[in-house]
Amino acid sequence: MVLPTLIADVERAFVSYAPGHWPDATHEEWNDWRWQLKNRVTTLEGLEKHLRLSPEERAGVILSAHKLAMSITPHYFNLIEVDDPEGPIRRQVIPRFEESHHHPSEVADPCGEDAHMPVPGLVHRYPDRVNFLITDRCASYCRYCTRSRVVSGAGEQELHTEFEQAFNYLEQHTEVRDVLLSGGDPLLFSDDKLEKILSRLRAIKHIEFLRIGTRVPIFLPQRITIGLCQMLQKYHPLWMSVHTNHPRELTLEVRAALERLANHGIPLGNQSVLLSKVNDTLPIMKSLVQKLLQCRVRPYYLYQCDLIHGSAHLRTSVSKGMEIIEGLRGHTTGYAIPQFVIDAPGGGGKVPVNPNYIRSHDEKKIVLQNYEGRLFEYPEIGL
Ligand SMILES: *Cc1c(COP(=O)(O)O)cnc(C)c1O
């Protein structure tokens, strides 16, 4: 029998890990997002000052120089489990040797984005919305990044977003009513630079809905200043999707940053990626989604990990995701349950994957299975 993984109480609670490895940082420095960026851990020496690396990690860091850069903000670095080289925070941001293994099903562009770019940097796959990749930089780099082919500047391919061409395309394409700003991480831009983009988009009449996909509130909560929130507030309706994978990431500072965003009227969603030894157990996911609700963030998507080069050590079976959703539905608040999706390899878009609650369905009736496994019948109408 497999025992459920126990979760430390500290991971259910909202705690601060600051200043951790940076005892000499002043309060002002620590809370300054530019100081956090300047002091990111980006080298082997920087890592080894604080952690004893496993051979797999050591080799991974050396290899990452030519692939996807390593970069970890002090805020996030403090969440790393010092004694456990297989810890859930470590596995997300410290490269491992396994990244150099290429499985035959893995590719550089798993969601076929390059083939759906009418303008460099603008992905137009769905009828009424676009994904606008405005930067190739992030506060920290996730080892399973779906865009590792272009992100961080370390790999062979580069992102050259054509802003004027993209705005012209959007002006001409009146069917586009939803623009998702992504990258890279849009919140690494200065307030001014970001505002230029938002105001330009808002000047296009048929664009109804703006959203920003970002992991900055998690990696760099100091960036969520009141000034930024006040600027964003001018461009409503503006929604935000953050990216949290593990309950420990929801620190006191992150909760405060999310609260500032919510207080400025920004509806918040969360996207998680299902990752091996990070969040692939029901107790961890349950704790995560329940903590998100406390931060006024609605779990939006749970992604099956994309088939990116060198990601096999982070991927799980698809069944694992279905099992987790089954363990949440009915057992906790409906608002806490994300939609599990696979971004179809080759460019098919996001496809929902659900546990099967329909036991049979014909012209006469549908037989349903509830969260406890009990069966119920509902008659089909008029037959
Ligand atoms: C994910 C994605 C979107 C947004 O999809 P929603 O289901 O509306 O959140 C839009 N464009 C592309 C290319 C995407 O990959």
Side-chain angles (χ1 to χ4, degrees), residues 23 33 42 46 82 119 132 139 142 150 160 162 174 199 212 236 241 246 252 264 280 305 313 327 343 383:
W33 64 277
T42 57
V82 175
V119 171
F132 193 5
C142 307
V150 287
H160 293 287
E162 291 289 346
T174 53
S199 60
I212 296 177
H236 275 315
S241 293
H246 189 276
L252 271 183
H264 286 79
D280 57 343
C305 187
H313 63 295
D343 215 326
L383 291 160

Side-chain angles (χ1 to χ4, degrees), residues 6 18 46 57 72 98 114 126 163 179 190-191 209 225 237 246 268 271 277 293 300 310 321 334 336 365 381:
L6 294 174
E57 289 174 322
I72 312 169
E98 293 92 314
D114 291 341
Y126 296 110
F163 284 91
V179 176
S190 67
D191 294 5
F209 187 75
T225 60
H246 189 276
L268 300 169
Q271 316 196 80
K277 298 187 197 167
L293 289 193
Y300 180 42
K365 62 175 192 285
I381 212 152

Side-chain angles (χ1 to χ4, degrees), residues 329-380:
R329 173 65 64 196
H331 300 276
T332 192
T333 312
Y335 277 125
I337 303 161
Q339 173 65 58
F340 180 42
V341 291
I342 300 181
D343 215 326
K350 298 173 185 74
V351 180
V353 179
N354 296 311
N356 196 4
Y357 294 105
I358 302 173
R359 293 292 293 266
S360 71
H361 188 192
D362 56 29
E363 319 82 69
K364 294 212 176 62
K365 62 175 192 285
I366 183 165
V367 180
L368 305 165
Q369 181 179 317
N370 84 344
Y371 74 103
E372 304 157 306
R374 294 196 293 143
L375 299 183
F376 299 86
E377 284 184 19
Y378 186 97
E380 275 294 20

Side-chain angles (χ1 to χ4, degrees), residues 43-44 47 53 56-65 70 94-95:
T43 62
L44 187 59
L47 267 185
L53 299 183
E56 291 81 6
E57 289 174 322
R58 224 168 175 278
V61 174
I62 292 162
L63 283 165
S64 68
M70 175 183 71
I94 298 185

Side-chain angles (χ1 to χ4, degrees), residues 111 113 116 123-126 128-132 147 178 180 209 211 241 271 300-301 303 343 349-350:
C111 303
E113 292 182 329
H116 284 98
V123 188
H124 192 178
R125 164 174 305 139
Y126 296 110
D128 67 341
R129 57 207 190 278
V130 294
N131 193 356
F132 193 5
R147 270 180 221 116
D178 169 3
L180 161 58
F209 187 75
R211 45 179 166 166
S241 293
Q271 316 196 80
Y300 180 42
Y301 283 138
Y303 289 94
D343 215 326
K350 298 173 185 74

